[in-house]
Amino acid sequence: MAQYLAHTVNAQLFGLGAGTVGWILTMVTIGVVQWRIWVVSDLSIISSGYAWVGLWKVCFYSHTDLASKYSSLYCQMMGVSDSFVPMEIVAARVLMLVALVLGLLANASTLYGLRNIFFGLGKHRPIRLAFTIGGVLHLLASVSSLVPLGLNMQAVFTNQNISFPENFYMPSAPLQQHVGPAICMGLSGAILTVATGVIFLFYRFPSRRIHPKGQASGTGGGHDNPAFQSEE
């Protein structure tokens, strides 16, 4: 069965690769600080005129004594219990981590299905179940990513403020805001995850056995094998 089904999962192999890349992009997105880029007018402390707002910290370049002697980058962590953190960032912390876990489980499920196909370790039913569960989990992971990404994009487009404490040395409001590369990276990962989910959900077993050269067993004088007529 492994040789027979191995020729039907080329798209699924691509989907596994795309899902893995999407999961990696999601993981990187969580840690990158450039979610929202604030443009500030006062350059006395924020020397570059730009500050980066992420899920866990705020950073900017400064030529003052705020930065260490080894780097001009000044960062302040935003704690879980900090009340000034806006809801879109709080939601992103939770939902992006959920997306990371769902993506990991989805890749594990689809990898299990592909393993059964190539090593002939299972019948059609467990393979279909593994692909279905993996596809659904990939779609759920993409939704968990797209919701916080969309909320933070809306906050950027509407130029929403954040009331940072004084020790953050951030202005009360930015001159303007830009979507950071972290959001773009997260959107790319979510798109790949959606595509992967669709690929695995739409996998169908062939109705008859296919030889490696692509010729059905019923041609050339052969006979169809009834065992391969049913998806079960």
Side-chain angles (χ1 to χ4, degrees), residues 76-171:
Q76 278 285 357
M77 298 297 298
M78 294 188 293
V80 177
S81 59
D82 289 339
S83 59
F84 69 89
V85 180
M87 288 304 301
E88 65 270 12
I89 292 182
V90 174
R93 290 175 175 179
V94 176
L95 292 177
M96 292 300 292
L97 290 175
V98 170
L100 191 66
V101 174
L102 290 175
L104 180 62
L105 294 176
N107 284 320
S109 180
T110 54
L111 182 62
Y112 172 78
L114 288 170
R115 175 177 177 270
N116 278 7
I117 284 179
F118 282 98
F119 292 96
L121 301 178
K123 298 182 179 180
H124 287 187
R125 186 178 295 276
I127 294 173
R128 185 193 300 114
L129 182 61
F131 282 177
T132 300
I133 292 176
V136 171
L137 289 176
H138 273 299
L139 294 181
L140 290 176
S142 65
V143 172
S144 295
S145 295
L146 289 173
V147 169
L149 291 169
L151 290 175
N152 280 273
M153 288 178 65
Q154 182 185 24
V156 170
F157 295 148
T158 56
N159 201 28
Q160 295 183 16
N161 304 332
I162 302 176
S163 300
F164 290 105
E166 292 184 3
N167 63 315
F168 277 67
Y169 298 99
M170 290 285 289

Coordinates of all heavy atoms in Angstrom, one line a residue, residues 76-171:
Q76 N 12.5 48.0 27.6 CA 11.8 47.8 28.8 C 10.8 46.7 28.6 O 10.1 46.7 27.6 CB 11.1 49.1 29.2 CG 12.0 50.1 30.0 CD 12.3 49.7 31.4 OE1 11.8 48.7 31.9 NE2 13.1 50.5 32.1
M77 N 10.8 45.8 29.5 CA 9.8 44.7 29.4 C 8.4 45.1 29.9 O 8.3 45.9 30.8 CB 10.3 43.5 30.3 CG 11.7 42.9 29.9 SD 11.7 42.2 28.3 CE 10.5 40.9 28.5
M78 N 7.5 44.5 29.2 CA 6.1 44.7 29.6 C 5.6 43.4 30.3 O 5.5 42.4 29.6 CB 5.2 45.0 28.4 CG 5.5 46.4 27.7 SD 4.3 46.9 26.5 CE 4.6 45.6 25.2
G79 N 5.3 43.5 31.6 CA 4.9 42.3 32.3 C 3.5 41.9 32.1 O 2.7 42.6 31.5
V80 N 3.2 40.7 32.5 CA 1.9 40.1 32.3 C 0.8 40.8 33.1 O -0.3 41.0 32.7 CB 1.9 38.6 32.7 CG1 0.5 38.0 32.5 CG2 2.9 37.8 31.8
S81 N 1.2 41.3 34.2 CA 0.3 42.0 35.1 C 0.2 43.5 35.0 O -0.5 44.2 35.7 CB 0.6 41.7 36.6 OG 2.0 42.1 36.9
D82 N 1.0 44.1 34.0 CA 1.0 45.5 33.8 C -0.4 46.0 33.2 O -0.8 45.5 32.2 CB 2.1 45.9 32.8 CG 3.5 45.8 33.5 OD1 3.6 45.8 34.7 OD2 4.5 45.7 32.7
S83 N -1.0 46.9 33.9 CA -2.3 47.3 33.5 C -2.3 48.3 32.3 O -3.4 48.4 31.7 CB -3.0 48.0 34.7 OG -2.2 49.2 35.1
F84 N -1.2 48.9 32.0 CA -1.2 49.8 30.8 C -1.1 49.1 29.5 O -1.4 49.7 28.4 CB 0.0 50.7 31.0 CG 1.3 50.1 30.8 CD1 1.9 50.0 29.5 CD2 2.0 49.5 31.8 CE1 3.1 49.3 29.3 CE2 3.3 48.9 31.6 CZ 3.8 48.8 30.4
V85 N -0.9 47.8 29.5 CA -0.8 47.1 28.2 C -2.2 47.0 27.6 O -3.1 46.5 28.2 CB -0.2 45.6 28.5 CG1 -0.1 44.9 27.2 CG2 1.2 45.7 29.1
P86 N -2.3 47.4 26.3 CA -3.6 47.4 25.7 C -4.1 46.0 25.4 O -3.4 45.1 25.3 CB -3.4 48.2 24.4 CG -1.9 48.0 24.1 CD -1.3 48.0 25.5
M87 N -5.5 45.9 25.2 CA -6.1 44.6 25.1 C -5.6 43.9 23.8 O -5.5 42.6 23.8 CB -7.6 44.8 25.1 CG -8.2 45.1 26.4 SD -7.8 43.9 27.7 CE -8.4 42.4 27.0
E88 N -5.3 44.6 22.8 CA -4.9 43.9 21.5 C -3.6 43.2 21.7 O -3.3 42.2 21.1 CB -4.8 44.9 20.4 CG -3.8 46.0 20.5 CD -4.3 47.2 21.1 OE1 -5.4 47.2 21.7 OE2 -3.6 48.3 21.0
I89 N -2.7 43.7 22.6 CA -1.4 43.1 22.9 C -1.6 41.9 23.8 O -1.0 40.9 23.7 CB -0.4 44.1 23.4 CG1 0.0 45.1 22.3 CG2 0.8 43.4 24.0 CD1 1.0 46.1 22.8
V90 N -2.5 42.1 24.8 CA -2.8 41.0 25.8 C -3.4 39.8 25.0 O -3.0 38.7 25.2 CB -3.8 41.5 26.8 CG1 -4.2 40.3 27.7 CG2 -3.1 42.6 27.7
A91 N -4.3 40.1 24.1 CA -4.9 39.1 23.3 C -3.9 38.4 22.4 O -3.9 37.2 22.2 CB -6.1 39.6 22.4
A92 N -3.0 39.2 21.8 CA -2.0 38.6 21.0 C -1.0 37.7 21.7 O -0.6 36.6 21.2 CB -1.2 39.7 20.3
R93 N -0.7 38.0 23.0 CA 0.1 37.1 23.7 C -0.5 35.7 23.9 O 0.2 34.7 23.7 CB 0.4 37.7 25.1 CG 1.3 39.0 25.1 CD 1.3 39.5 26.5 NE 2.2 40.7 26.6 CZ 2.4 41.3 27.8 NH1 1.8 41.0 28.9 NH2 3.3 42.3 27.8
V94 N -1.8 35.7 24.2 CA -2.5 34.4 24.4 C -2.7 33.7 23.1 O -2.4 32.5 23.0 CB -3.8 34.7 25.2 CG1 -4.6 33.4 25.3 CG2 -3.5 35.3 26.5
L95 N -3.3 34.4 22.1 CA -3.7 33.7 20.9 C -2.5 33.3 20.1 O -2.6 32.2 19.4 CB -4.6 34.6 20.1 CG -6.0 34.9 20.7 CD1 -6.8 35.9 19.9 CD2 -6.8 33.6 20.9
M96 N -1.4 34.0 20.1 CA -0.3 33.6 19.3 C 0.4 32.3 19.9 O 0.9 31.5 19.2 CB 0.8 34.7 19.2 CG 0.3 35.9 18.4 SD -0.1 35.5 16.6 CE 1.6 35.1 16.0
L97 N 0.4 32.3 21.2 CA 0.9 31.0 21.9 C 0.0 29.9 21.6 O 0.4 28.7 21.4 CB 1.0 31.3 23.4 CG 2.1 32.2 23.8 CD1 2.1 32.5 25.3 CD2 3.5 31.7 23.4
V98 N -1.4 30.1 21.6 CA -2.3 29.0 21.2 C -2.0 28.6 19.8 O -2.0 27.4 19.5 CB -3.7 29.5 21.4 CG1 -4.7 28.6 20.8 CG2 -4.1 29.8 22.8
A99 N -1.8 29.5 18.9 CA -1.5 29.2 17.5 C -0.3 28.4 17.4 O -0.2 27.4 16.5 CB -1.4 30.5 16.6
L100 N 0.7 28.7 18.2 CA 2.0 27.9 18.2 C 1.8 26.5 18.6 O 2.3 25.6 17.9 CB 3.0 28.6 19.1 CG 4.4 28.1 19.0 CD1 5.0 28.5 17.6 CD2 5.3 28.8 20.1
V101 N 1.0 26.3 19.6 CA 0.7 24.9 20.1 C -0.1 24.2 19.1 O 0.1 23.0 18.7 CB 0.0 25.0 21.5 CG1 -0.4 23.6 21.9 CG2 0.9 25.6 22.5
L102 N -1.2 24.8 18.5 CA -2.0 24.2 17.5 C -1.2 23.8 16.3 O -1.4 22.7 15.7 CB -3.2 25.1 17.2 CG -4.3 25.3 18.2 CD1 -5.3 26.3 17.8 CD2 -4.9 24.0 18.6
G103 N -0.3 24.7 15.9 CA 0.5 24.4 14.7 C 1.4 23.2 14.9 O 1.6 22.4 14.0
L104 N 2.0 23.1 16.1 CA 2.8 22.0 16.4 C 2.0 20.7 16.4 O 2.5 19.7 15.8 CB 3.4 22.2 17.8 CG 4.4 21.0 18.3 CD1 5.6 20.9 17.4 CD2 4.8 21.3 19.7
L105 N 0.8 20.6 17.0 CA 0.0 19.4 17.0 C -0.5 19.1 15.6 O -0.5 17.9 15.2 CB -1.2 19.7 17.9 CG -0.9 19.8 19.4 CD1 -2.2 20.1 20.1 CD2 -0.2 18.6 20.0
A106 N -0.7 20.1 14.8 CA -1.2 19.9 13.4 C -0.1 19.3 12.6 O -0.3 18.3 11.8 CB -1.6 21.2 12.8
N107 N 1.1 19.8 12.7 CA 2.3 19.2 11.9 C 2.5 17.7 12.4 O 2.9 16.9 11.6 CB 3.5 20.0 12.1 CG 3.5 21.3 11.3 OD1 3.0 21.3 10.2 ND2 3.9 22.4 11.9
A108 N 2.4 17.5 13.7 CA 2.6 16.1 14.2 C 1.6 15.2 13.6 O 1.9 14.0 13.3 CB 2.5 16.1 15.7
S109 N 0.3 15.6 13.6 CA -0.8 14.8 13.0 C -0.6 14.5 11.6 O -0.7 13.3 11.1 CB -2.1 15.5 13.3 OG -3.2 14.6 12.8
T110 N -0.2 15.5 10.8 CA 0.0 15.2 9.3 C 1.2 14.4 9.1 O 1.2 13.6 8.2 CB 0.1 16.6 8.6 OG1 1.1 17.4 9.2 CG2 -1.3 17.3 8.6
L111 N 2.2 14.6 9.9 CA 3.4 13.8 9.8 C 3.1 12.3 10.1 O 3.7 11.4 9.4 CB 4.5 14.3 10.7 CG 5.9 13.6 10.6 CD1 6.5 13.7 9.2 CD2 6.8 14.2 11.7
Y112 N 2.3 12.1 11.0 CA 1.9 10.7 11.3 C 1.1 10.1 10.2 O 1.4 8.9 9.8 CB 1.0 10.7 12.6 CG 0.3 9.4 12.9 CD1 1.1 8.3 13.5 CD2 -1.0 9.1 12.6 CE1 0.5 7.1 13.8 CE2 -1.6 7.9 12.8 CZ -0.8 6.9 13.4 OH -1.4 5.7 13.7
G113 N 0.2 10.8 9.5 CA -0.5 10.3 8.4 C 0.5 10.0 7.2 O 0.4 9.0 6.6
L114 N 1.4 10.9 6.9 CA 2.4 10.6 5.9 C 3.3 9.4 6.2 O 3.6 8.7 5.3 CB 3.2 11.9 5.6 CG 2.5 13.1 5.0 CD1 3.3 14.3 5.0 CD2 2.1 12.7 3.5
R115 N 3.6 9.3 7.4 CA 4.4 8.1 7.9 C 3.7 6.8 7.6 O 4.3 5.9 7.1 CB 4.8 8.3 9.4 CG 5.5 7.1 9.9 CD 5.9 7.3 11.4 NE 6.5 6.2 12.0 CZ 5.8 5.2 12.7 NH1 4.5 5.3 12.7 NH2 6.5 4.2 13.2
N116 N 2.4 6.8 7.9 CA 1.6 5.6 7.6 C 1.6 5.3 6.1 O 1.6 4.1 5.7 CB 0.2 5.8 8.1 CG 0.1 5.5 9.6 OD1 1.1 5.3 10.3 ND2 -1.1 5.5 10.2
I117 N 1.5 6.4 5.3 CA 1.5 6.1 3.9 C 2.8 5.6 3.3 O 2.8 4.6 2.6 CB 1.1 7.5 3.2 CG1 -0.4 7.8 3.3 CG2 1.5 7.4 1.7 CD1 -0.8 9.1 2.7
F118 N 3.9 6.1 3.7 CA 5.1 5.7 3.1 C 5.7 4.4 3.7 O 6.4 3.7 3.0 CB 6.2 6.9 3.3 CG 6.0 8.0 2.3 CD1 5.3 9.1 2.7 CD2 6.5 7.9 1.0 CE1 5.2 10.2 1.8 CE2 6.3 8.9 0.1 CZ 5.7 10.1 0.5
F119 N 5.3 4.1 4.9 CA 5.7 2.9 5.5 C 4.7 1.8 5.5 O 4.9 0.7 6.1 CB 6.3 3.1 6.9 CG 7.5 3.9 6.9 CD1 7.5 5.3 7.1 CD2 8.8 3.3 6.7 CE1 8.7 6.0 7.1 CE2 9.9 4.1 6.7 CZ 9.9 5.4 6.9
G120 N 3.5 2.1 5.0 CA 2.4 1.1 5.0 C 2.0 0.6 6.3 O 1.7 -0.6 6.5
L121 N 2.0 1.5 7.4 CA 1.7 1.1 8.7 C 0.2 1.2 9.1 O -0.1 0.9 10.2 CB 2.5 1.9 9.7 CG 4.0 1.8 9.5 CD1 4.8 2.7 10.5 CD2 4.5 0.4 9.6
G122 N -0.6 1.6 8.2 CA -2.0 1.8 8.6 C -2.9 1.7 7.4 O -2.5 1.7 6.2
K123 N -4.2 1.6 7.7 CA -5.2 1.5 6.6 C -5.7 2.9 6.3 O -5.2 3.9 6.8 CB -6.4 0.6 7.0 CG -5.9 -0.8 7.3 CD -7.1 -1.7 7.7 CE -6.7 -3.2 7.9 NZ -7.8 -4.0 8.3
H124 N -6.7 3.0 5.4 CA -7.1 4.3 4.9 C -7.7 5.1 6.1 O -7.5 6.3 6.1 CB -8.2 4.1 3.8 CG -7.6 3.7 2.5 ND1 -8.3 3.6 1.4 CD2 -6.3 3.3 2.2 CE1 -7.5 3.2 0.4 NE2 -6.3 3.0 0.9
R125 N -8.5 4.5 7.0 CA -9.2 5.3 8.0 C -8.2 6.1 8.9 O -8.5 7.3 9.1 CB -10.1 4.4 8.8 CG -11.0 5.1 9.8 CD -11.8 4.2 10.6 NE -12.8 3.5 9.7 CZ -14.0 4.0 9.3 NH1 -14.3 5.2 9.7 NH2 -14.8 3.4 8.5
P126 N -7.2 5.5 9.5 CA -6.3 6.3 10.3 C -5.6 7.4 9.6 O -5.3 8.5 10.1 CB -5.3 5.3 11.0 CG -5.4 4.1 10.1 CD -6.8 4.1 9.6
I127 N -5.2 7.1 8.3 CA -4.6 8.1 7.5 C -5.5 9.3 7.3 O -5.1 10.5 7.4 CB -4.1 7.5 6.2 CG1 -3.0 6.5 6.4 CG2 -3.6 8.6 5.2 CD1 -2.6 5.7 5.2
R128 N -6.7 9.0 6.9 CA -7.7 10.1 6.6 C -8.0 10.9 7.9 O -8.1 12.1 7.9 CB -9.0 9.5 6.1 CG -10.1 10.6 5.7 CD -11.4 10.0 5.6 NE -11.5 9.0 4.5 CZ -11.7 7.7 4.7 NH1 -11.9 7.3 6.0 NH2 -11.8 6.9 3.7
L129 N -8.1 10.2 9.0 CA -8.3 10.8 10.3 C -7.1 11.8 10.7 O -7.3 12.9 11.1 CB -8.5 9.8 11.4 CG -8.8 10.3 12.8 CD1 -10.1 11.1 12.8 CD2 -8.9 9.2 13.8
A130 N -5.9 11.3 10.5 CA -4.7 12.1 10.8 C -4.7 13.4 9.9 O -4.4 14.5 10.4 CB -3.5 11.3 10.6
F131 N -5.0 13.2 8.6 CA -5.0 14.4 7.7 C -6.1 15.4 8.1 O -5.9 16.6 8.0 CB -5.2 13.9 6.3 CG -3.9 13.4 5.7 CD1 -3.9 12.8 4.4 CD2 -2.7 13.4 6.4 CE1 -2.7 12.4 3.8 CE2 -1.5 12.9 5.8 CZ -1.5 12.4 4.6
T132 N -7.3 14.8 8.4 CA -8.4 15.7 8.8 C -8.1 16.5 10.1 O -8.3 17.7 10.1 CB -9.7 14.9 9.0 OG1 -10.0 14.2 7.7 CG2 -10.9 15.8 9.3
I133 N -7.6 15.8 11.1 CA -7.3 16.5 12.3 C -6.2 17.5 12.1 O -6.3 18.6 12.6 CB -6.8 15.4 13.4 CG1 -8.0 14.5 13.8 CG2 -6.3 16.2 14.6 CD1 -7.6 13.4 14.8
G134 N -5.2 17.1 11.3 CA -4.1 18.1 11.0 C -4.6 19.3 10.3 O -4.2 20.4 10.6
G135 N -5.5 19.1 9.3 CA -6.0 20.2 8.5 C -6.8 21.1 9.3 O -6.7 22.3 9.2
V136 N -7.7 20.6 10.2 CA -8.5 21.4 11.1 C -7.7 22.2 12.1 O -7.9 23.4 12.3 CB -9.5 20.5 11.8 CG1 -10.3 21.3 12.9 CG2 -10.6 19.9 10.9
L137 N -6.7 21.5 12.6 CA -5.8 22.2 13.6 C -5.0 23.3 12.9 O -4.8 24.4 13.5 CB -4.8 21.2 14.2 CG -5.4 20.2 15.2 CD1 -4.4 19.3 15.7 CD2 -6.1 21.0 16.4
H138 N -4.6 23.1 11.6 CA -3.9 24.2 10.9 C -4.8 25.4 10.7 O -4.4 26.5 10.8 CB -3.4 23.6 9.6 CG -2.1 23.0 9.6 ND1 -0.9 23.6 10.0 CD2 -1.7 21.7 9.3 CE1 0.1 22.8 9.9 NE2 -0.3 21.6 9.5
L139 N -6.1 25.1 10.4 CA -7.0 26.2 10.2 C -7.3 27.0 11.5 O -7.4 28.2 11.5 CB -8.3 25.7 9.5 CG -8.2 25.1 8.1 CD1 -9.6 24.7 7.6 CD2 -7.6 26.2 7.2
L140 N -7.4 26.2 12.5 CA -7.6 26.9 13.9 C -6.4 27.7 14.2 O -6.5 28.8 14.8 CB -7.9 25.8 14.9 CG -9.2 25.1 14.8 CD1 -9.3 24.0 15.9 CD2 -10.4 26.1 15.0
A141 N -5.2 27.2 13.9 CA -4.0 27.9 14.3 C -3.9 29.2 13.5 O -3.5 30.3 14.0 CB -2.7 27.0 14.0
S142 N -4.3 29.2 12.2 CA -4.3 30.4 11.4 C -5.3 31.4 11.9 O -5.0 32.6 11.9 CB -4.6 30.0 9.9 OG -6.0 29.5 9.8
V143 N -6.5 31.0 12.4 CA -7.4 31.9 12.9 C -6.9 32.5 14.2 O -7.0 33.7 14.5 CB -8.8 31.2 13.2 CG1 -9.7 32.1 14.0 CG2 -9.4 30.8 11.9
S144 N -6.2 31.7 15.0 CA -5.6 32.2 16.3 C -4.5 33.2 16.0 O -4.2 34.1 16.8 CB -5.0 31.0 17.1 OG -6.1 30.2 17.5
S145 N -3.9 33.1 14.9 CA -2.9 34.1 14.5 C -3.5 35.4 13.9 O -3.1 36.5 14.2 CB -1.9 33.5 13.5 OG -1.1 32.5 14.1
L146 N -4.5 35.2 13.0 CA -5.0 36.3 12.2 C -5.8 37.3 13.1 O -5.8 38.5 12.9 CB -5.9 35.8 11.1 CG -5.2 35.1 10.0 CD1 -6.2 34.4 9.0 CD2 -4.3 36.1 9.2
V147 N -6.5 36.8 14.1 CA -7.2 37.7 15.0 C -6.3 38.7 15.7 O -6.6 39.9 15.6 CB -8.1 36.8 16.0 CG1 -8.7 37.8 17.1 CG2 -9.2 36.1 15.3
P148 N -5.3 38.3 16.4 CA -4.5 39.3 17.1 C -3.7 40.1 16.1 O -3.4 41.3 16.3 CB -3.5 38.5 18.0 CG -3.5 37.1 17.3 CD -4.8 36.9 16.8
L149 N -3.3 39.6 15.0 CA -2.6 40.3 14.0 C -3.5 41.4 13.4 O -3.1 42.6 13.2 CB -2.1 39.4 12.8 CG -1.0 38.4 13.2 CD1 -0.8 37.4 12.1 CD2 0.3 39.2 13.4
G150 N -4.7 41.1 13.2 CA -5.7 42.1 12.7 C -6.0 43.1 13.7 O -6.1 44.3 13.3
L151 N -6.1 42.8 14.9 CA -6.4 43.8 16.0 C -5.2 44.8 16.1 O -5.4 46.0 16.3 CB -6.6 43.1 17.3 CG -7.9 42.3 17.5 CD1 -7.9 41.5 18.8 CD2 -9.1 43.2 17.4
N152 N -4.0 44.3 16.0 CA -2.9 45.2 16.1 C -2.7 46.0 14.9 O -2.2 47.2 15.0 CB -1.6 44.4 16.4 CG -1.4 44.0 17.9 OD1 -0.9 44.8 18.7 ND2 -1.9 42.8 18.2
M153 N -3.0 45.5 13.7 CA -3.0 46.3 12.5 C -4.1 47.4 12.6 O -3.8 48.6 12.2 CB -3.3 45.4 11.3 CG -2.2 44.5 10.9 SD -2.5 43.4 9.5 CE -2.7 44.7 8.2
Q154 N -5.2 47.1 13.2 CA -6.2 48.2 13.3 C -5.8 49.2 14.3 O -6.0 50.4 14.1 CB -7.5 47.5 13.9 CG -8.7 48.5 14.1 CD -9.9 47.9 14.7 OE1 -9.8 46.9 15.4 NE2 -11.0 48.5 14.4
A155 N -5.0 48.8 15.4 CA -4.5 49.8 16.3 C -3.5 50.7 15.6 O -3.4 51.9 15.9 CB -3.9 49.1 17.5
V156 N -2.7 50.2 14.7 CA -1.7 51.0 14.0 C -2.5 51.9 13.0 O -2.1 53.1 13.0 CB -0.8 50.1 13.2 CG1 0.1 50.9 12.2 CG2 0.1 49.3 14.1
F157 N -3.4 51.4 12.3 CA -4.1 52.3 11.3 C -4.9 53.4 11.9 O -5.0 54.5 11.4 CB -5.0 51.4 10.4 CG -4.3 50.4 9.6 CD1 -4.9 49.2 9.2 CD2 -3.0 50.7 9.1 CE1 -4.2 48.3 8.5 CE2 -2.3 49.8 8.3 CZ -2.9 48.6 8.0
T158 N -5.4 53.2 13.1 CA -6.1 54.2 13.9 C -5.2 55.0 14.8 O -5.7 55.9 15.5 CB -7.3 53.6 14.7 OG1 -6.8 52.6 15.5 CG2 -8.3 53.0 13.7
N159 N -3.9 54.7 14.8 CA -2.9 55.4 15.6 C -3.3 55.5 17.1 O -3.3 56.5 17.7 CB -2.7 56.9 15.0 CG -1.4 57.5 15.5 OD1 -0.4 56.7 15.7 ND2 -1.4 58.8 15.6
Q160 N -3.6 54.3 17.6 CA -4.0 54.3 19.0 C -2.8 54.4 20.0 O -1.7 54.0 19.6 CB -4.7 52.9 19.3 CG -6.0 52.8 18.6 CD -6.8 51.5 18.9 OE1 -6.4 50.8 19.9 NE2 -7.7 51.1 18.1
N161 N -3.0 55.1 21.1 CA -2.0 55.4 22.0 C -1.8 54.3 23.1 O -2.7 53.4 23.2 CB -2.3 56.7 22.8 CG -2.5 57.8 21.8 OD1 -1.9 57.8 20.7 ND2 -3.3 58.8 22.2
I162 N -0.7 54.3 23.8 CA -0.5 53.4 24.9 C 0.1 54.3 26.0 O 1.1 55.0 25.8 CB 0.5 52.3 24.6 CG1 0.0 51.4 23.4 CG2 0.8 51.4 25.8 CD1 1.0 50.4 22.9
S163 N -0.5 54.2 27.2 CA -0.1 55.0 28.3 C 1.1 54.3 29.1 O 0.9 53.7 30.1 CB -1.2 55.2 29.3 OG -2.3 55.9 28.6
F164 N 2.3 54.5 28.5 CA 3.5 53.9 29.1 C 3.9 54.6 30.4 O 3.7 55.8 30.6 CB 4.7 53.9 28.2 CG 4.5 53.1 26.9 CD1 4.2 53.6 25.7 CD2 4.7 51.7 27.0 CE1 4.1 52.8 24.6 CE2 4.6 50.9 25.9 CZ 4.3 51.4 24.7
P165 N 4.4 53.8 31.4 CA 5.0 54.5 32.6 C 6.1 55.4 32.3 O 6.7 55.3 31.2 CB 5.4 53.3 33.5 CG 4.7 52.1 32.9 CD 4.5 52.4 31.4
E166 N 6.5 56.2 33.2 CA 7.5 57.2 33.0 C 8.9 56.5 32.7 O 9.7 57.1 32.0 CB 7.6 58.1 34.2 CG 6.5 59.1 34.4 CD 6.7 60.0 35.5 OE1 7.8 60.0 36.1 OE2 5.7 60.8 35.8
N167 N 9.2 55.4 33.4 CA 10.5 54.8 33.2 C 10.7 54.1 31.8 O 11.7 53.7 31.5 CB 10.7 53.7 34.3 CG 9.7 52.6 34.2 OD1 8.5 52.8 34.0 ND2 10.2 51.3 34.3
F168 N 9.6 54.1 31.0 CA 9.7 53.6 29.6 C 10.3 54.7 28.7 O 10.7 54.4 27.6 CB 8.4 53.1 29.1 CG 8.1 51.7 29.5 CD1 7.9 51.4 30.9 CD2 8.0 50.7 28.6 CE1 7.6 50.1 31.2 CE2 7.7 49.4 29.0 CZ 7.5 49.1 30.3
Y169 N 10.2 56.0 29.1 CA 10.6 57.1 28.3 C 10.0 57.2 27.0 O 10.6 57.6 26.0 CB 12.2 57.1 28.2 CG 12.9 57.2 29.6 CD1 13.3 56.1 30.2 CD2 13.0 58.5 30.2 CE1 14.0 56.2 31.4 CE2 13.6 58.5 31.4 CZ 14.1 57.4 32.0 OH 14.7 57.5 33.3
M170 N 8.7 56.8 26.9 CA 8.0 56.8 25.7 C 7.0 58.0 25.7 O 6.5 58.3 26.7 CB 7.2 55.5 25.5 CG 8.1 54.3 25.2 SD 8.7 54.2 23.5 CE 7.2 53.9 22.6
P171 N 6.8 58.6 24.5 CA 5.8 59.7 24.5 C 4.4 59.2 24.8 O 4.1 58.0 24.6 CB 5.9 60.2 23.0 CG 6.4 59.0 22.3 CD 7.3 58.3 23.2

